[in-house]
Amino acid sequence: DTAVSQTPKYLVTQMGNDKSIKCEQNLGHDTMYWYKQDSKKFLKIMFSYNNKELIINETVPNRFSPKSPDKAHLNLHINSLELGDSAVYFCASSQVRGWYGYTFGSGTRLTVV
Amino acid sequence: GIQVEQSPPDLILQEGANSTLRCNFSDSVNNLQWFHQNPWGQLINLFYIPSGTKQNGRLSATTVATERYSLLYISSSQTTDSGVYFCASVPTGQNFVFGPGTRLSVLP
């Protein structure tokens, strides 16, 4: 029973398209996150979402937007995809922002061509 | 913002060897965690260790918060230990900042 699940696992799309990545957690956590991992394996937080409080990393382009229909879901929507958006995107969740119980999803490899 | 450094950047071990990975952080933190990313890309939480020492099987970790560093010890390494080890710290009131990682290869 997967704790944090992401779909799709792989996503190949053309420049300019709009795409979404879904994330669901069944841990009862109240905070969810999106991370971007680049080709050098560097992990950088994009968003955290806690009980309707959204904290955005200021370096994230506004083409990226998180959408949370409920506490167990945090989807990532990307508009007008660019080549530089190619990366692995990880969803994560925790019980309290930044604290114990941090659990990652298995990642979505996005390739923009 | 806070800077998180890890050393060494790359490490190659023979199976059965021991190793120590280091994480330095530039400012006071109220959380420090170690993660392992296996060769298939999965990120696993190893330790939540804002201070003190913890052990889990062949792995142990020590954080000296006053001196702003943490160490991850791997004993009797196995090929399944290969991957990238990240430390991540949380400055007060902020989100995780990840270090650049230590890439470990354990050879049979």
Side-chain angles (χ1 to χ4, degrees), chain A residues 37 41 48 98-99 102 106, chain B residues 30-31 33 37 45 95-96:
Chain A
Q37 186 172 43
K41 297 286 192 182
S48 70
W99 295 93
Y102 221 90
S106 57
Chain B
N30 54 16
N31 187 351
Q33 301 202 25
Q37 187 169 35
N45 193 333
N95 278 307
F96 267 131

Side-chain angles (χ1 to χ4, degrees), chain A residues 29-86:
Chain A
H29 287 167
D30 54 19
T31 307
M32 296 183 72
Y33 314 81
W34 278 104
Y35 284 84
K36 180 180 180 180
Q37 186 172 43
D38 62 23
S39 57
K40 296 184 178 179
K41 297 286 192 182
F42 191 72
L43 271 163
K44 193 167 187 179
I45 192 162
M46 302 176 70
F47 305 100
S48 70
Y49 195 84
N50 176 7
N51 193 27
K52 303 190 187 303
E53 177 195 10
L54 175 64
I55 299 177
I56 302 171
N57 184 323
E58 64 275 7
T59 66
V60 175
N62 58 15
R63 298 181 295 103
F64 290 79
S65 57
K67 298 186 191 304
S68 179
D70 55 57
K71 198 172 85 166
H73 297 82
L74 184 65
N75 304 324
L76 181 65
H77 190 75
I78 316 170
N79 290 326
S80 304
L81 278 156
E82 300 177 356
L83 293 177
D85 297 332
S86 295

Side-chain angles (χ1 to χ4, degrees), chain B residues 25-74:
Chain B
F25 38 95
S26 62
D27 205 348
S28 300
V29 297
N30 54 16
N31 187 351
L32 192 290
Q33 301 202 25
W34 284 95
F35 295 87
H36 174 223
Q37 187 169 35
N38 65 25
W40 297 271
Q42 181 66 43
L43 280 154
I44 305 295
N45 193 333
L46 296 176
F47 292 103
Y48 161 72
I49 187 160
S51 63
T53 297
K54 287 187 178 179
Q55 181 153 7
N56 184 3
R58 296 180 296 102
L59 302 182
S60 64
T62 296
T63 296
V64 183
T66 53
E67 297 187 22
R68 300 180 183 169
Y69 73 89
S70 184
L71 302 173
L72 178 69
Y73 305 94
I74 304 174

